[in-house]
Amino acid sequence: MNIMIVGVGGQGTLLASRILGAAAQNIGMDVKLSEVHGMSQRGGSVVTYVRYGEKIASPIIEEGGADLILAFEQLEAYRYISYLKEGGTYIVNTQKTDPMPVICGTAKYPEEILEKIAAKGIDVIACDALALAKEAGNQKATNVALIGVLAKHSTIEKEDWMKALNSTVPPKFLEANLKAFELGYNHE
Amino acid sequence: MKKLMLGNEAIARGAYEAGVRVVSSYPGTPSTEITEFASKYDEMYSEWAPNEKVAVETASGAAIAGGRAVSAMKHVGLNVAADPLFTMSYIGVNAGLVLCVADDPGMHSSQNEQDSRNYALASKIPMMEPADSSECKDFMKKAFELSEKYDTPILMRLTTRVAHSQSLVELEDRVEIPVKPYEKDIPKHVMVPAFAKQKHPKVEARMQALAEEAATADFNKVIMRGTDIGIITAGISYQYTEEALPDASILKLGMVWPLPEKLIRDFASKVKKCYVIEELDPFLEKQIKAMGIEVIGKDILPLEGEYTAAMLKDKILGIAPKEMASADEPVPVRPPVMCPGCSHRGVFYVLSKLGLHVSGDIGCYSLGSAAPLFAMDSIICMGASISAAHGMEKAAGRDFAKKTVAVLGDSTFIHSGITGLIDVVYNKGTSTVIILDNSITGMTGHQQNPSTGFTIKGEPTRQVDLVKLAEAVGVDRVTVVDPFDVEKFEKVVKEEIAADEPSVIIAQRPCALLKKAGYTGTYRINPEKCKNCKICMKLGCPAISITENGPVINETLCVGCGLCPNVCKFGAIEKVN
């Protein structure tokens, strides 16, 4: 299983990938994750890869290789279409964050991104995860709300996800994050 | 028990299990987490040193005194530490010494793409290269054995995709190794010419002996499959090879220097076509070709950037990648930016407004060079901002210096900016230096440093007083100012660049990601008062964007730092809650 998490540095993609990695380990799979640290974390476009299966060699997912992409932001979803396998699933947070070229007025934020992705015959699951996180009491739990949506569409049992959340989320934030996970899990 | 671990965490775990006593490093992506994880084990003393040279010397002293020691750095950090490296090769060790160096192919977070394997060759120090987290741990333990057996430091080379990937690691217990007895041994430890001359042949003999051990050691692995294609590879390239060429035979080198000639010759003779797959320089390839063995490498594979399995399939098997669906229009790029609330933003707003030459440095503030601020003219390496500004003055004259400032962070100033400042004072320069004191080492993810007042473990310690330090080296004009008080900051900069002597401006404000920044609430732009002059857009704040009706603040991004109301001439930016 090859899952990519794409978003904007600072959105919590790293924790999301670690929860996913822990859940995959809980079902006894070989797991590899590739993370992004340093300069590109500062508000740039970030990608983390999570792969699990019998035996995994490369930690990287290449074009056409992702079974599922979890996008934390619409423009980032648009950027990585070529990485999705034929028949793969796209989970997209409907949040939009303008990149600097758009802020400076040298580029335009594309319109109707979700429709354009769906028009390619890609299965798109859209979710306003920020609203779910706010409902859970902490807007920073957007990442975990999205993990909830992902969990619903995964082959990993819910109890393995709960174990993963308990082992990766700092106790201080656990309550709001568990709530956000539930809201994501039950999202239609 | 198996644990999912970052390569860097596994390096720290290997050090722990190998009974390491001292870890001294300077942070640098992608190596930083090695020392952060090491500091979580109370059995090992860990510290952040002011720079990599000091760190390697500290670790060297520890090894000479009889305690196993580690220093970790990024590739360019090894340049700083190259001086002790080359001589420690001659001195050797008492207890084991392992120096971890993390290269950054693809330059995810670096200013160049140097291949540190060349240092192993040049300094005559063996180098190991793990391919996943499990090997990171195992190789560390093996490295300490080899270090003590052959009386040599060992280099442990990582690349970003190994350092920053997680995979499963089997945990074992720590082996407590008592501090070895220390003996005063002048010919071994004092590298004056007479003793160094005795040492050099021993170094050559040791490398010969290591090459022989490498021929049969289990860290070099032969995986025989078909005989059509043979691949010689190491590190992360091994994983891409497994992915792309599952039928090929592989010689996977765990030690990339010295090389096991007989093993390589033997492997190459068993396959019809032999390739070398390695990112960056043709390091293995050149050595293997020099042995008279025919291999294919950089003739078909690039010298730059990271490799992919798809690239290997294309270049070696001739299977072109499949065309995939893509966006219908150009997707705007999303370069990294200074965070909302960044303490550096006020500084670069003013420097941009004044149109000064800015001699820049390495850190988050390198982002001051990007749109819309464009307030950095040059970046070379850690600490170079001050010395380069000095050189600019000496070449282009005093008038040029009056339009020039050097800008660097607190940690970078301590790292190697202070020596540049001494050069300015000593050699009668008049440079204006702005130290961005945000109370932390920012870009690498918040490490303590000598100017923060805390150790790596968060214990309070003596804090370097930047004002006193600047005064002590002979700078009479030292000003501390809040860069968010834009008017005052601008006034200070103008005064200091005009002064006919060196000056230091300490722009003091904590990193917005620190709790002590204490920002609450958000701001909004009152459309009734906004005249759409767009001056707030010049800040390059990711939380402010332009709409048809003028600028607006994105409340989910705004941290309430309060810089934008300070530049608005119409009082249109108001605090919300």
Side-chain angles (χ1 to χ4, degrees), chain B residues 540-556:
Chain B
C541 176
I544 313 177
S545 44
I546 200 83
T547 67
E548 280 165 18
N549 309 316
V552 291
I553 292 177
N554 179 339
E555 280 186 36
T556 58

Side-chain angles (χ1 to χ4, degrees), chain A residues 100-113:
Chain A
M100 202 43 76
V102 171
I103 289 176
C104 297
T106 57
K108 236 181 117 248
Y109 196 103
E111 284 168 13
E112 296 179 334
I113 288 174

Side-chain angles (χ1 to χ4, degrees), chain B residues 9-185:
Chain B
E9 183 180 3
I11 291 280
R13 179 74 196 186
Y16 166 78
E17 290 180 8
V20 164
R21 292 187 171 264
V22 173
V23 182
S24 181
S25 308
Y26 185 83
T29 313
S31 73
T32 311
E33 300 80 12
I34 294 174
T35 310
E36 289 188 319
F37 279 109
S39 74
K40 296 190 174 141
Y41 296 105
D42 287 333
E43 294 87 342
M44 297 192 283
Y45 166 80
S46 305
E47 66 171 30
W48 289 126
N51 65 37
E52 294 85 354
K53 178 176 182 290
V54 174
V56 168
E57 290 157 354
T58 301
S60 301
I64 290 170
R68 285 188 168 184
V70 167
S71 181
M73 65 217 81
K74 70 181 291 170
H75 56 339
V76 287
L78 191 55
N79 303 338
V80 180
D83 201 356
L85 179 81
F86 279 70
T87 303
M88 279 307 289
S89 171
Y90 278 32
I91 290 178
V93 301
N94 178 15
L97 174 64
V98 178
L99 307 172
C100 305
V101 55
D103 286 0
D104 191 16
M107 290 178 278
H108 296 272
S109 208
S110 302
Q111 66 269 44
N112 74 32
E113 211 171 14
Q114 76 186 41
D115 189 330
S116 297
R117 293 177 299 174
N118 296 300
Y119 272 108
L121 174 74
S123 66
K124 302 174 192 294
I125 291 179
M127 178 179 260
M128 301 187 78
E129 184 171 359
D132 61 18
S133 299
S134 177
E135 282 191 354
C136 281
K137 197 199 79 164
D138 295 345
F139 281 15
M140 280 300 280
K141 294 167 86 168
K142 186 72 196 170
F144 278 101
E145 274 176 38
L146 293 172
S147 172
E148 288 169 7
K149 183 173 172 191
Y150 290 95
D151 192 16
T152 175
I154 304 281
L155 283 160
M156 185 67 58
R157 183 202 191 214
L158 304 169
T159 54
T160 302
R161 296 300 188 184
V162 172
H164 284 165
S165 289
Q166 297 201 31
S167 55
L168 295 170
V169 178
E170 185 74 46
L171 302 189
E172 294 160 285
D173 291 333
R174 173 176 168 95
V175 181
E176 267 319 327
I177 296 174
V179 175
K180 285 190 169 182
Y182 171 77
E183 277 170 45
K184 182 162 173 164
D185 185 348

Side-chain angles (χ1 to χ4, degrees), chain B residues 389-437:
Chain B
H390 179 61
M392 288 172 182
E393 176 174 6
K394 293 301 175 189
R398 178 70 195 113
D399 284 346
F400 190 93
K402 281 189 175 168
K403 286 185 241 136
T404 305
V405 291
V407 175
L408 78 176
D410 47 349
S411 188
T412 308
F413 178 69
I414 301 276
H415 179 282
S416 45
I418 178 67
T419 39
L421 186 60
I422 292 170
D423 188 33
V424 171
V425 174
Y426 170 55
N427 289 308
K428 302 181 179 181
T430 68
S431 299
T432 299
V433 175
I434 303 176
I435 302 175
L436 307 170
D437 179 9

